[in-house]
Amino acid sequence: MKIRIGIFGYGNLGRGVELAVRQNADMETVAVFTRRDPSTLKTVTDLPVYAADAVADFRDKIDVMILCGGSATDLPVQTPALAEMFNVVDSFDTHAKIPQHYDAVNAAAEKGKTTALISVGWDPGMFSLNRLYAASILPAGQDYTFWGKGVSQGHSDAVRRIEGVKNAKQYTIPVPAALESVRGGETPALTTREKHTRECFVVAEDGADTARIEREIVTMPNYFADYDTTVHFISEEEFLRDHSGIPHGGFVVRVGKTGAAEENTHVVEYSLKLDSNPEFTASVLVAYARAAARLANEKQYGCKTVFDIPPAYLSPVSGEELRRTCL
Amino acid sequence: MKIRIGIFGYGNLGRGVELAVRQNADMETVAVFTRRDPSTLKTVTDLPVYAADAVADFRDKIDVMILCGGSATDLPVQTPALAEMFNVVDSFDTHAKIPQHYDAVNAAAEKGKTTALISVGWDPGMFSLNRLYAASILPAGQDYTFWGKGVSQGHSDAVRRIEGVKNAKQYTIPVPAALESVRGGETPALTTREKHTRECFVVAEDGADTARIEREIVTMPNYFADYDTTVHFISEEEFLRDHSGIPHGGFVVRVGKTGAAEENTHVVEYSLKLDSNPEFTASVLVAYARAAARLANEKQYGCKTVFDIPPAYLSPVSGEELRRTCL
């Protein structure tokens, strides 16, 4: 019997989950839940769509609910609420608030006797895993995480809120010299400015003061002031042609030392180059949904993260076959 | 209380384990076991050395035995024998024979109520993990594993067995064009010859026929015949100066597709650049020894591989702190 998936929230991420489930023969999506009027929502593959309020009726019809809302306001409420009723997987990515999210979700999952996996994706997620593995193997060492080249949704939104900006996209870009230094086995102390640059492509409203817009961007506290930022004003046509995608990626590098006098250097690098950030994140969520279903079958309830999940649980392939073909 | 480690076999790998344990404050090495005369063996940090035959006396004094013998003849015998008495970790790396090794070790570990982790290292080991994670996340895709640039012990040995060869080292080198193609998101079908080249540095005996030696190398079945191989004859002095190290490394790349028409490409890459192959392998063994100790405490007995181990078990850091600092 297939693992029955529910999708809670249908934006880019929910759409990505819909498509990713299709690539896994042991799963099927049985329902999409939305806070919009369900009759107005048509999914890529014409899935049944229900009102979010109706979700409790599906307790026996869904094995794992994949939450596809945002980390700012949706998931802190939705994940604990749904974890009382369903095995859940979310992509909560506000790093500083993970401990309190964990506590809230864990209480709900223990109450509901469900398995809840939080902060699944690539950062947090695959990047975190690689930080953990490399640090555990090479305790004498230093970690570096670089993001990009890719679109930062939060920074793009911040630019779009500036008066006179019609549309905007912000790319985060690792500084090549910093990345090369680390890859070469050096362990430099890098400032924020030395690790990443930011590049903005802006469509200005007709007659807008582009000098003021540029100044407002590059001096914006938290978002841009600590970075070297380049601003390009482009036409709407060019924007739609060249900047419609949501690519992202990045690098996790650990430089570690071993030997009697720590004379040997090892460089461990994990990198992602993603055409579609939400589709890749969705693919990670779907693989972990398989793990959630297995853990729930074993009555391993409560809140867990990628750190707690045996890698084999992500795969539809048996342990025996994995040892034979993949080890 | 510290995790008490035993080292069974003291070559490059055993020495690496001795040094790696020192980098982990929650562990200590309590004994080294050797088939040589123990009185002739002095370890880097002057560890107590015992005869291999005496190992049974240490059942209550060692939490995890790390096996540092070879895969060809040592581990198939030693790991099952020791798994009846100790929690063990080995680096068995004959991929084709992993299933039968697993069965033998599992029977012993179940009989002895011990936890046995086999095929721990980087390939099998970290590379296997990365193949598994990436394939589980991106089921529509293709895997590529490249090795090098690094020293292949087996190929170096094969060259040294040729008449007239005094010393030799063989480097396996990924073909740059193949690696770049895959990194660029292409999924070429690559022959053995298209993936790796082999480079040999040979010190010939005085008066040896170097043309014959070169011909014997490049035509050697299984080892060299399917590759483009370059042979350099060098002086013993140059050999000792430039080719004493045991560097290695490699790349695991998965190119995967997502989207309604699989129109989006994702490239996941894991790479290692290691100054010392045995010291890095030893560091992986030591991190997994921590996991073995924890699993044994939980009475999770039997044979396991890296696929079965929750990543958090490798770390000395608590789950709570990992979620706060590493996720």
Side-chain angles (χ1 to χ4, degrees):
Chain A
M1 200 168 106
K2 293 192 178 189
I3 299 167
R4 300 165 302 173
I5 301 291
I7 298 174
F8 198 88
Y10 193 81
N12 285 328
L13 188 60
R15 183 179 172 281
V17 169
E18 175 184 16
L19 297 173
V21 168
R22 292 204 311 169
Q23 294 184 311
N24 290 278
D26 61 336
M27 299 185 178
E28 59 183 334
T29 304
V30 298
V32 172
F33 299 90
T34 181
R35 286 174 299 186
R36 292 176 263 174
D37 173 356
S39 69
T40 65
L41 180 62
K42 194 170 150 56
T43 81
V44 184
T45 63
D46 246 332
L47 293 170
V49 181
Y50 303 92
D53 293 343
V55 74
D57 300 341
F58 287 79
R59 288 180 81 142
D60 300 326
K61 302 188 182 83
I62 286 171
D63 297 311
V64 184
M65 185 72 78
I66 300 181
L67 281 78
C68 298
S71 294
T73 55
D74 297 337
L75 299 177
V77 178
Q78 292 172 356
T79 312
L82 290 168
E84 283 197 28
M85 295 184 270
F86 298 95
N87 303 308
V88 298
V89 183
D90 84 13
S91 62
F92 185 78
D93 66 0
T94 312
H95 290 262
K97 292 186 178 168
I98 287 173
Q100 73 192 69
H101 189 58
Y102 176 89
D103 289 340
V105 175
N106 192 48
E110 290 193 340
K111 186 174 166 199
K113 291 194 190 308
T114 64
T115 303
L117 308 187
I118 61 162
S119 301
V120 173
W122 59 274
D123 197 358
M126 299 312 296
F127 273 19
S128 323
L129 273 180
N130 277 280
R131 286 187 287 259
L132 173 60
Y133 275 119
S136 301
I137 292 167
L138 296 171
Q142 181 127 8
D143 265 354
Y144 297 87
T145 301
F146 295 91
W147 296 274
K149 182 181 177 176
V151 174
S152 164
Q153 220 59 56
H155 287 77
S156 299
D157 290 345
V159 175
R160 278 194 291 264
R161 282 192 296 264
I162 293 172
E163 201 193 316
V165 171
K166 193 169 178 189
N167 213 339
K169 212 141 206 179
Q170 193 271 178
Y171 296 89
T172 304
I173 305 168
V175 173
L179 185 54
E180 286 317 308
S181 160
V182 169
R183 278 179 166 166
E186 296 173 29
T187 52
L190 297 169
T191 62
T192 298
R193 195 178 296 273
E194 286 166 339
K195 285 185 71 185
H196 296 93
T197 53
R198 298 193 178 280
E199 190 170 21
C200 303
F201 291 85
V202 178
V203 182
E205 304 275 9
D206 283 347
D209 178 351
T210 56
R212 175 193 49 81
I213 291 172
E214 178 164 355
R215 199 168 53 241
E216 283 193 36
I217 294 173
V218 301
T219 60
M220 196 184 296
N222 302 318
Y223 285 87
F224 293 99
D226 297 335
Y227 298 86
D228 290 332
T229 302
T230 316
V231 180
H232 307 277
F233 290 94
I234 61 175
S235 69
E236 184 141 36
E237 184 191 8
E238 184 180 342
F239 188 90
L240 294 173
R241 187 189 67 214
D242 298 340
H243 302 283
S244 296
I246 318 175
H248 218 317
F251 306 80
V252 173
V253 184
R254 187 168 183 92
V255 179
K257 302 282 185 181
T258 66
E262 299 195 340
E263 69 277 19
N264 288 317
T265 300
H266 309 285
V267 180
V268 181
E269 176 176 337
Y270 179 79
S271 71
L272 295 173
K273 197 163 57 189
L274 311 175
D275 270 0
S276 166
N277 183 355
E279 286 182 10
F280 184 80
T281 300
S283 296
V284 181
L285 287 168
V286 168
Y288 275 94
R290 179 180 291 117
R294 289 194 190 175
L295 290 163
N297 280 339
E298 296 172 359
K299 304 191 192 306
Q300 295 202 42
Y301 302 137
C303 186
K304 295 167 196 303
T305 75
V306 295
F307 295 156
D308 305 309
I309 312 301
Y313 279 49
L314 306 191
S315 174
V317 176
S318 73
E320 192 179 346
E321 193 178 334
L322 285 178
R323 286 190 295 274
R324 193 168 51 77
T325 61
C326 189
L327 197 60
Chain B
M1 200 167 104
K2 293 192 178 191
I3 299 168
R4 298 165 303 171
I5 301 292
I7 298 174
F8 198 88
Y10 193 81
N12 285 329
L13 188 60
R15 184 179 171 282
V17 170
E18 175 185 15
L19 297 174
V21 167
R22 292 204 311 167
Q23 295 184 311
N24 290 278
D26 60 336
M27 300 185 178
E28 58 182 336
T29 304
V30 297
V32 172
F33 299 91
T34 181
R35 286 174 300 186
R36 291 176 262 174
D37 173 356
S39 69
T40 65
L41 182 61
K42 193 170 149 59
T43 80
V44 184
T45 62
D46 246 333
L47 293 170
V49 181
Y50 302 93
D53 294 343
V55 73
D57 300 340
F58 287 78
R59 288 181 79 143
D60 299 326
K61 301 189 182 83
I62 286 172
D63 297 311
V64 184
M65 186 72 79
I66 300 181
L67 281 79
C68 298
S71 294
T73 56
D74 298 335
L75 300 177
V77 178
Q78 293 172 355
T79 312
L82 290 168
E84 283 195 28
M85 295 184 270
F86 298 95
N87 303 308
V88 298
V89 183
D90 84 13
S91 62
F92 185 79
D93 66 359
T94 311
H95 290 262
K97 293 185 178 167
I98 287 174
Q100 73 193 69
H101 188 57
Y102 176 89
D103 289 341
V105 175
N106 192 48
E110 289 192 341
K111 186 175 165 199
K113 292 196 190 307
T114 65
T115 303
L117 309 187
I118 62 162
S119 300
V120 173
W122 59 274
D123 196 0
M126 299 312 296
F127 273 19
S128 323
L129 273 180
N130 277 280
R131 286 187 286 261
L132 173 60
Y133 276 119
S136 301
I137 292 167
L138 296 171
Q142 182 127 8
D143 265 354
Y144 296 87
T145 300
F146 295 91
W147 296 276
K149 181 181 177 174
V151 174
S152 165
Q153 220 60 54
H155 287 76
S156 299
D157 290 346
V159 174
R160 278 193 289 264
R161 283 192 294 265
I162 293 173
E163 201 193 316
V165 171
K166 192 170 178 189
N167 212 341
K169 212 140 205 180
Q170 192 271 178
Y171 296 89
T172 305
I173 305 168
V175 173
L179 185 55
E180 285 317 308
S181 160
V182 169
R183 279 180 166 167
E186 295 173 30
T187 53
L190 296 170
T191 63
T192 297
R193 194 176 296 275
E194 286 167 339
K195 285 184 73 186
H196 296 95
T197 54
R198 298 193 178 279
E199 190 169 22
C200 303
F201 292 86
V202 178
V203 182
E205 305 276 8
D206 283 346
D209 178 353
T210 56
R212 175 193 51 81
I213 291 172
E214 177 165 355
R215 199 167 54 242
E216 283 194 38
I217 293 173
V218 302
T219 60
M220 195 185 295
N222 301 320
Y223 285 87
F224 293 100
D226 297 334
Y227 298 85
D228 290 332
T229 301
T230 316
V231 181
H232 308 276
F233 290 94
I234 61 174
S235 68
E236 185 142 35
E237 184 192 8
E238 184 180 342
F239 187 89
L240 293 173
R241 187 188 65 214
D242 297 341
H243 301 283
S244 296
I246 318 174
H248 218 316
F251 306 82
V252 173
V253 184
R254 187 169 183 92
V255 179
K257 302 282 186 181
T258 66
E262 298 194 344
E263 70 277 18
N264 288 317
T265 300
H266 309 284
V267 181
V268 181
E269 177 176 336
Y270 179 78
S271 71
L272 295 173
K273 197 162 58 189
L274 311 175
D275 270 0
S276 165
N277 183 355
E279 287 182 9
F280 184 80
T281 301
S283 295
V284 181
L285 288 168
V286 168
Y288 276 94
R290 180 180 291 118
R294 289 195 191 174
L295 289 163
N297 279 339
E298 296 172 0
K299 302 189 192 309
Q300 297 202 42
Y301 302 136
C303 186
K304 297 170 195 300
T305 75
V306 295
F307 295 157
D308 305 310
I309 313 301
Y313 279 49
L314 305 192
S315 174
V317 177
S318 73
E320 191 178 347
E321 194 178 332
L322 285 178
R323 286 190 294 274
R324 193 168 50 77
T325 60
C326 189
L327 197 60

